[in-house]
Amino acid sequence: MPDLAPDTLDLAWVRARFPAFSEPSLAGQAFFENAGGSYACAPVIDRLTRFYTARKVQPYGPYEASRLGGAEMDEARARLALALGVEAGELSFGPSTTQNTYVLAQAFRGLLSPGEAIVVTDQDHEANSGPWRRLQAEGIEIREWRIDPATGALDPADLDALLDDKVRLVVFPHCSNVVGEINDAAAITARAHAAGAFTCVDGVSYAPHGLPDVGALGADIYLFSAYKTYGPHQGIMVIRRALAELLPNQGHAFNAAALTKRFTPAGPDHAQVAASAGMVDYIEALSRHHGGPDSGADAARFAHAAMRAHETALLQPLLDKLAARNDLRLLGPVDAAARAPTVALDLGRDPGPVAAALARRGIMAAGGDFYAVRPLAAMGIDPDQGVLRLSFVHYTSAEETRALWAALQEVL
Ligand SMILES: Cc1ncc(COP(=O)(O)O)c(C=O)c1O
């Protein structure tokens, strides 16, 4: 493997912020299933521990522990919103992205009339597909924006052919969890808006590689999962104010006026909401440590660029090697800059034993359909057989990608 291109991320500093890297039971194992769920950063774990130890009471009460708990939950919302370029009231927490999309689809059921249409894709994880498709039973027309079966790519020109004045919503992924290609969410949203439709963007596979500026993307809804973005097990959902006020309330009737309660019918997981502030602690500290801005959207943008530079430097040589093999099919772009380091391989056979063989060699990875049944089928891959997926993030080291390549050569 050629030398990896240099980048400027201080990896020793980064890895010292993730307790998993000093956990003895994980020593000697390289983690390549980050798209399933990332390691948690220390500020998140510290805040979670503090909440469970000192603030585990009903929040927003008049006593100190309760006041501190509520304030920390508000802090998490406000600082995440700032980093994402939206208002605090536009950000909601929910148990998971899948639960959030089911609630959103129920809300759209109340907004849309029979005969109106939603555009879905066959590139999405099922979380941003199935809940919307079910609205067909309510008389909503579902139009499918289909990927190119050879490349897995979504062509925006194909979307134009699906848009007309019946379409109220276009849902699509910022990045698929098996194709890996980064879709131009701003351009797609602009096309949808021009046709009078809202957009709902699944950012679950994108956000771990740098928080997006949701305000700049223009998306009406942006979803991601904190547990894949160095945080606790929460879904995070931005719903821009104009749409949030239009959609019918999904919570208790008396909470209808509170935007942050309209789409979260269950009581929130207080500790996890509060601990989500640790995600921003980490991102801002990463920016500061590398000479970037102190806080807010500027720090998030700086950290995003630093993460991506490191990831692409490690990813390109790996993609080149994989693309050169004729015994597997590499899904998605060969250009690292065009994709996330979430690399799915169609081996033409069951990837399970291969993942198990990798595990014996100290590589943590997995095989399966990853709930991306539709994109796999659309690319001619039997979802029951599935793919081997190798996914990493900015905390992954060149030594680990080299170890991965060495192990792959033995097991493929
Ligand atoms: C791209 C993508 N979207 C949505 C989801 C669902 O997220 P959650 O587990 O928070 O429901 C996943 C989970 O793997 C995913 O990879």
Side-chain angles (χ1 to χ4, degrees), residues 210-227:
L211 292 186
D213 183 337
V214 177
L217 288 181
D220 301 285
I221 302 173
Y222 194 91
L223 309 157
F224 68 102
S225 301
Y227 74 95

Side-chain angles (χ1 to χ4, degrees), residues 330-349:
L330 165 66
L331 304 192
V334 177
D335 174 10
R339 66 176 299 153
T342 300
V343 181
L345 306 175
D346 173 16
L347 305 180
R349 62 191 155 111

